[in-house]
Amino acid sequence: MPSTLSTTPVTPRRALAADPAYQAFWILRTGFAVAPILFGLDKFANLLVDWPTYLAPWIDDLVPGSAQATMYAVGVVEIVAGLTVALAPRFGGWLVAGWLAGIIVNLLTVPGYYDIALRDFGLLLGAVALARLAERHRPARTPDRTARTPH
């Protein structure tokens, strides 16, 4: 008995590239890969902002070391999150969404940063959208060429 082949038509690359959902997936994937990496790197330089001022005092009291040392750890996590989005967006989107949820909780406990918490909530929604789109646009599995088909 011959092995069965999929009858699903192959979508041409050009048609896929013109698909608005596929374009949205790549826009979100690129943004959620690049931004966390850049923000993570800046945690070591404080060029964009004085990052330790965004750390809630109660969190600073919980973690050992200085607020700047905490920001170094945050920077590493953000770089890893950005790389994860680039390499595995189905997982990376959820990772970034979870990380943003933690940032929002932190910001809501620091007076004066509610606007940034609201902005980060919008980013959280974008990260969830990325994870959902990544589910749809995941690479097709290649068949296992070593598996034998029953005759």
Side-chain angles (χ1 to χ4, degrees):
M1 171 187 282
S3 64
T4 58
L5 297 175
S6 172
T7 58
T8 306
V10 176
T11 305
R13 283 185 177 204
R14 190 170 289 177
L16 185 60
D19 176 22
Y22 189 70
Q23 293 170 359
F25 164 70
W26 275 101
I27 290 166
L28 291 169
R29 184 177 186 176
T30 302
F32 281 110
V34 172
I37 292 170
L38 292 178
F39 285 129
L41 289 172
D42 194 57
K43 298 298 188 291
F44 295 90
N46 290 312
L47 296 174
L48 297 173
V49 69
D50 183 24
W51 291 107
T53 62
Y54 287 87
L55 187 63
W58 67 272
I59 294 177
D60 192 20
D61 291 341
L62 284 176
V63 295
S66 67
Q68 183 59 56
T70 301
M71 285 299 121
Y72 294 150
V74 166
V76 170
V77 170
E78 290 176 343
I79 292 166
V80 169
L83 292 172
T84 303
V85 167
L87 300 173
R90 283 189 304 146
F91 177 72
W94 293 114
L95 176 63
V96 169
W99 185 249
L100 284 164
I103 291 171
I104 292 166
V105 169
N106 171 74
L107 291 171
L108 288 175
T109 62
V110 180
Y113 291 113
Y114 305 127
D115 57 333
I116 299 171
L118 180 59
R119 180 213 53 201
D120 285 354
F121 179 71
L123 290 171
L124 182 149
L125 296 176
V128 170
L130 169 64
R132 297 301 299 137
L133 285 167
E135 187 67 38
R136 179 175 181 208
H137 294 290
R138 64 182 169 180
R141 289 183 150 190
T142 56
D144 183 5
R145 298 195 193 290
T146 61
R148 295 186 176 254
T149 15
H151 293 111

